[in-house]
Amino acid sequence: MRHRLRDPITGLLFVLPMLVLFVIFRFVPSLGAAGLSVTDYQLGGSWSFVGVTNYARLFDDPIFMGALRVTIVYVAIYVPLTLLVSLGTALLLNSVIFMKGIFRSALFLPYVTSFVFAGVIWRWMYEFDGFINGLLAKIDLGPVGFLDDTALVLPALATVSVWKGFGYSMLILLAGLKSIPSSYLEAARVDGANAWQRFRSIVLPLLRPALFFVIVIETIGAFQAFDVIYVMTGGGPSRASYNLIYALYDQGFGNFNVAYAATIGIVLFVLVFIVSMIQRRLLDRSNT
């Protein structure tokens, strides 16, 4: 028995520090947030149990419903765009013969930069006298108020987030492409399959586990977007970029209504969990 338990116990000892940190800084705060959501606690004040009152209040709150709509629209823009850019660059890198490391490093570089730094730079680029409008002016299309137009602000923010974060997903998909046996593609090429047929019938099915991981991770990240919004728009204009995380921040650190902020967090967690389960089912659980 001791011989059989030696390896599991050894493995547990190696992961124990991270497991302790996870319990202290992730699991316990999550339980605390769930407990706060059924109270009327405000920072520095007394509290009492109120049951599901906070949850009922959410769906009567036009600001929360607006933040929910903004979040869903942002996710719907960001995730497909990130997947398209990541997969496209991964396919290009997979076909590169010379200087692979240089190209990978250059494309991955934005991922390791500060989101605050990226937000400041892109805010300048989006300004009326910025770089992008300067280019548009040369073809008589500018200026465009990317961050001042309620219809353009979410696509503009999503573009910045894609530029900042696609490198990680690109590497995951590139690793998935490298794991596909070249003999499959060569056999299809011999049988007369063109590039699109090989991609659709061989690459995509074998890449499904990596795609599932990327879609889930990027979806969770899109639901939790905050840095780029805080730096570039502050939730504006007219709350057009005021998402759930910004509403949570506003309630918790602006109004000091901790219980209501915790309620928003729990609803966001449930929403992300449901979306992740739907994605898992759509991508075929048996193959992921």
Side-chain angles (χ1 to χ4, degrees):
M1 177 65 71
R2 282 186 299 177
H3 179 73
R4 289 199 302 267
L5 291 177
R6 184 176 60 186
D7 289 343
I9 291 176
T10 302
L12 180 61
L13 289 176
F14 276 106
V15 302
L16 187 60
M18 189 61 200
L19 183 61
V20 171
L21 291 176
F22 177 81
V23 171
I24 294 175
F25 294 105
R26 294 281 188 169
F27 187 71
V28 172
S30 298
L31 292 179
L36 284 173
S37 69
V38 293
T39 69
D40 60 354
Y41 178 76
Q42 292 188 350
L43 195 62
S46 58
W47 63 274
S48 59
F49 179 78
V50 297
V52 297
T53 302
N54 286 329
Y55 293 93
R57 175 186 168 190
L58 279 180
F59 297 99
D60 289 331
D61 185 353
I63 295 179
F64 170 79
M65 297 306 294
L68 178 61
R69 180 190 62 80
V70 168
T71 301
I72 294 173
V73 172
Y74 181 82
V75 171
I77 297 172
Y78 172 80
V79 175
L81 187 58
T82 299
L83 186 61
L84 181 64
V85 174
S86 301
L87 183 57
T89 51
L91 289 170
L92 289 174
L93 284 178
N94 193 45
S95 62
V96 169
I97 300 176
F98 300 104
M99 298 187 298
K100 294 181 180 180
I102 295 177
F103 286 118
R104 291 176 189 174
S105 300
L107 291 172
F108 188 74
L109 185 61
Y111 181 77
V112 298
T113 61
S114 166
F115 231 135
V116 174
F117 174 76
V120 171
I121 295 300
W122 276 88
R123 185 174 61 184
W124 169 77
M125 292 176 64
Y126 279 141
E127 288 179 352
F128 286 104
D129 57 350
F131 176 74
I132 296 177
N133 273 314
L135 294 178
L136 292 176
K138 294 181 178 180
I139 55 176
D140 297 326
L141 292 178
V144 177
F146 292 100
L147 301 181
D148 299 316
D149 191 326
T150 57
L152 296 177
V153 64
L154 287 181
L157 292 174
T159 300
V160 177
S161 297
V162 170
W163 173 85
K164 171 70 174 64
F166 84 94
Y168 178 77
S169 297
M170 176 195 69
L171 290 184
I172 297 297
L173 294 175
L174 182 60
L177 290 172
K178 294 294 184 183
S179 68
I180 298 175
S182 58
S183 58
Y184 291 179
L185 298 172
E186 185 61 30
R189 188 179 293 109
V190 171
D191 289 338
N194 57 36
W196 168 247
Q197 291 171 332
R198 294 194 301 270
F199 175 75
R200 184 189 61 187
S201 302
I202 297 177
V203 174
L204 274 183
L206 295 178
L207 199 61
R208 186 173 294 173
L211 284 172
F212 171 73
F213 177 80
V214 166
I215 291 173
V216 171
I217 292 300
E218 294 295 353
T219 300
I220 293 173
F223 273 107
Q224 296 177 340
F226 175 74
D227 304 42
V228 65
I229 296 174
Y230 182 82
V231 172
M232 297 186 69
T233 65
S238 303
R239 298 188 186 272
S241 61
Y242 191 86
N243 66 347
L244 288 178
I245 292 293
Y246 207 98
L248 187 155
Y249 165 80
D250 218 10
Q251 289 293 331
F253 297 96
N255 300 331
F256 301 109
N257 193 347
V258 180
Y260 196 58
T263 307
I264 296 175
I266 295 300
V267 171
L268 180 61
F269 167 78
V270 173
L271 181 60
V272 171
F273 180 79
I274 292 173
V275 171
S276 298
M277 291 298 102
I278 293 173
Q279 290 173 334
R280 180 176 175 84
R281 182 170 294 276
L282 291 177
L283 288 172
D284 189 357
R285 187 187 328 179
S286 62
N287 290 324
T288 55

